[in-house]
Amino acid sequence: MQAEVGDRIHIQTRAVGMQSRVGEIMEVRGPDGTPPYLVRFSDGHESLVYPGPDCVIEQRSAED
């Protein structure tokens, strides 16, 4: 998995009653765009994320 600053990460959940989370990648700490990623979620919370198989990276558009 590779990402750049500004990309969005979607974290799905299989747990009943829990919502999927979406956040913006603020910092890429691995070499060549690999994890871990510092992510800011919509509620303002920041967390270091090591994405698993339930995560999808949405690359930022060229318009941003």
Side-chain angles (χ1 to χ4, degrees), residues 1-63:
M1 180 171 287
Q2 291 186 319
E4 296 179 0
V5 172
D7 289 352
R8 297 176 68 80
I9 187 166
H10 297 262
I11 303 173
Q12 308 301 323
T13 182
R14 290 189 229 160
V16 175
M18 298 208 48
Q19 295 182 347
S20 298
R21 299 188 74 190
V22 178
E24 180 180 354
I25 296 175
M26 305 304 295
E27 184 178 333
V28 177
R29 296 198 176 169
D32 299 320
T34 59
Y37 306 125
L38 181 64
V39 177
R40 181 181 298 143
F41 294 96
S42 56
D43 63 359
H45 175 78
E46 291 186 3
S47 181
L48 192 60
V49 175
Y50 291 82
D54 57 346
C55 295
V56 175
I57 301 292
E58 175 187 341
Q59 296 185 345
R60 67 178 169 196
S61 66
E63 299 169 358

